[in-house]
Amino acid sequence: MRLYYEKLPSDTEQEAQPLKPLTISKTASPCLRLADEHMPHDDTAWRRAQMLGACAAYALVGPSLVMVNNHILKQLRFPYPLILSSIGLLTTALCCSLALRVGGYLAARHEAPSGVQPETPSSEACEPRRVENQRVGSRAWLPEVSLEFWLRNMVPIGAAQGLTFFGTNAAYMYLTITFTQMLAAFTPTVTLVLLYATGVEIPTTRSSVAVVLISVGCLISSYGEGHFNLVGVGYRSLGIFSEAVRLVLTQKLLKNYKLNVIESQYFLAPIGAGFLILGACFSEVPRFWRANAMLTMRQNPLLFCCSALLGVVASMLTFVVIKLTNSVTLKVMNTARNAAFVLFTVFFLHEQASNTQLLGYMLSLCAFSLYLYFKRTGS
């Protein structure tokens, strides 16, 4: 019986390695095995096309999701960020479940002898196997995860993922898109502090100085914000902190184990959605029913569907970009994307941004570039 996780080198070792063609073992997910069998190997042009396509999609999907959610929360007057975030995570869980089921069936059909039609997995085959140590998600088309591992690792990461979605969406109700994107530059600072506190990564002196400069740039940006709202900054800070916690926990896990994005999101997304729904039951659901907000969803189904599906695609693209390039490239792309999005909101959406605010943001970007350089070179 195959295990869910495999030993993986540390992030630093991964980043230092050149790009290699992705090889899929026989114990890999059925979805990955089928994709690998039909992928033209050793085709440099195909690999480059994949990387360019994934990077272009990553650069467009994130800002599109921000604009859709901002429109729903503000223009449609749908002030329920917990409910909106839970819809996205539930859609992610559903899509991953369907992908695993379909992938498992297609793999079984592909591996069946010629002329033999595999039976459709019965309800009995999809029931959790009864084992002594209790397994979570033990199904014919899904690797096994022990209950203890699920509680210790996946529940904290899933909860942090849910809080990240909620904090980010809630901030849009009080702050401009421009300012929320500027505050995102503070994420590396919080992440580095948590990495140091947990012993996952010990930063060098130069890296620490670069992170301090990032913080200074964020403070200058906040000082120059003309529509500063303490509640909105509080929600954005919650999103930044929970995102840093999620990154640290995930990085700590990846130092010893390898996760497949579809299988991991199958477990993580329902956890995050469960925490959000629990919170919404006490804070948003009563207001939701009193205001008959369901009518807003029925009148704008396309926007809500776009929000949910863009969230799914954004989660998958993060994994795809890392696989096709590396984690450093993802960080650089994320920074460049945020910077371009800030310029777009200022010049095309005509959101206000003072010179002091832009100066502080530029300082943060320059400091973040130095941080990536120092981390890459180990200086």
Side-chain angles (χ1 to χ4, degrees):
M1 185 175 295
R2 66 191 180 95
L3 298 178
Y4 178 70
Y5 296 103
E6 299 174 1
K7 185 71 176 178
L8 185 72
S10 66
D11 289 349
T12 305
E13 294 171 348
Q14 275 190 319
E15 293 172 359
Q17 293 175 351
L19 179 64
K20 298 180 180 179
L22 179 64
T23 57
I24 308 297
S25 65
K26 294 182 179 180
T27 61
S29 167
C31 300
L32 292 181
R33 294 205 310 270
L34 285 175
D36 182 68
E37 290 171 1
H38 297 285
M39 180 184 296
H41 294 284
D42 300 326
D43 190 340
T44 304
W46 172 246
R47 297 284 299 179
R48 289 178 179 175
Q50 283 184 309
M51 286 188 288
L52 290 176
C55 292
Y58 180 82
L60 294 175
V61 169
S64 300
L65 177 60
V66 170
M67 294 180 65
V68 170
N69 286 344
N70 182 73
H71 182 81
I72 291 174
L73 292 166
K74 288 183 178 179
Q75 273 64 42
L76 297 186
R77 297 183 180 179
F78 190 84
Y80 310 106
L82 284 169
I83 295 176
L84 182 62
S85 301
S86 63
I87 291 174
L89 287 176
L90 287 174
T91 306
T92 300
L94 177 62
C95 291
C96 291
S97 177
L98 290 175
L100 288 173
R101 286 178 181 270
V102 173
Y105 175 77
L106 292 178
R109 186 181 181 87
H110 182 74
E111 294 172 359
S114 177
V116 178
Q117 296 294 331
E119 297 181 359
T120 303
S122 62
S123 58
E124 181 180 358
C126 291
E127 289 297 321
R129 302 192 186 103
R130 298 177 181 273
V131 291
E132 295 181 358
N133 60 342
Q134 297 186 3
R135 299 281 178 171
V136 178
S138 299
R139 299 169 187 259
W141 40 268
L142 189 67
E144 291 186 345
V145 174
S146 68
L147 179 61
E148 180 182 2
F149 186 89
W150 181 79
L151 290 173
R152 287 187 176 183
N153 296 275
M154 293 189 169
V155 170
I157 296 176
Q161 183 179 13
L163 282 176
T164 300
F165 280 35
F166 162 68
T168 303
N169 285 330
Y172 294 139
M173 297 189 301
Y174 303 93
L175 304 174
T176 62
I177 296 178
T178 304
F179 189 41
T180 53
Q181 294 302 116
M182 288 182 176
L183 290 177
F186 194 66
T187 304
T189 303
V190 181
T191 304
L192 188 65
V193 172
L194 291 178
L195 287 173
Y196 178 78
T198 55
V200 176
E201 180 179 323
I202 306 300
T204 63
T205 302
R206 292 183 177 181
S207 296
S208 300
V209 171
V211 168
V212 171
L213 291 177
I214 294 174
S215 304
V216 173
C218 290
L219 290 175
I220 295 174
S221 297
S222 301
Y223 178 78
E225 170 62 19
H227 301 283
F228 185 89
N229 186 288
L230 189 59
V231 176
V233 172
Y235 279 126
R236 192 69 184 98
S237 299
L238 174 64
I240 291 173
F241 179 77
S242 56
E243 173 69 5
V245 170
R246 185 182 70 84
L247 292 174
V248 170
L249 293 177
T250 302
Q251 183 170 334
K252 188 174 182 180
L253 195 63
L254 287 176
K255 283 186 175 292
N256 299 307
Y257 302 101
K258 180 180 180 180
L259 287 79
N260 170 271
V261 66
I262 298 179
E263 294 172 346
S264 63
Q265 285 300 315
Y266 171 84
F267 292 104
L268 296 176
I271 296 172
F275 277 97
L276 293 178
I277 292 173
L278 181 62
C281 289
F282 293 97
S283 61
E284 293 184 358
V285 171
R287 293 187 294 110
F288 181 87
W289 290 115
R290 284 197 303 267
N292 194 21
M294 184 63 71
L295 180 62
T296 302
M297 299 181 66
R298 289 198 297 263
Q299 292 175 342
N300 303 274
L302 183 60
L303 278 175
F304 284 91
C305 288
C306 285
S307 174
L309 294 178
L310 284 172
V312 177
V313 175
S315 299
M316 300 304 171
L317 282 175
T318 300
F319 170 82
V320 172
V321 171
I322 292 178
K323 281 297 182 183
L324 293 177
T325 57
N326 52 55
S327 60
V328 173
T329 301
L330 180 70
K331 294 174 183 177
V332 173
M333 281 191 57
N334 190 56
T335 303
R337 183 184 68 176
N338 288 344
F341 192 34
V342 167
L343 295 177
F344 177 82
T345 58
V346 172
F347 291 103
F348 292 95
L349 300 184
H350 305 293
E351 290 195 345
Q352 295 182 354
S354 66
N355 293 333
T356 303
Q357 197 174 7
L358 293 175
L359 177 63
Y361 186 58
M362 290 301 298
L363 175 61
S364 296
L365 292 181
C366 293
F368 184 71
S369 300
L370 288 175
Y371 167 75
L372 289 178
Y373 173 76
F374 292 145
K375 185 176 180 181
R376 182 71 173 178
T377 59
S379 57

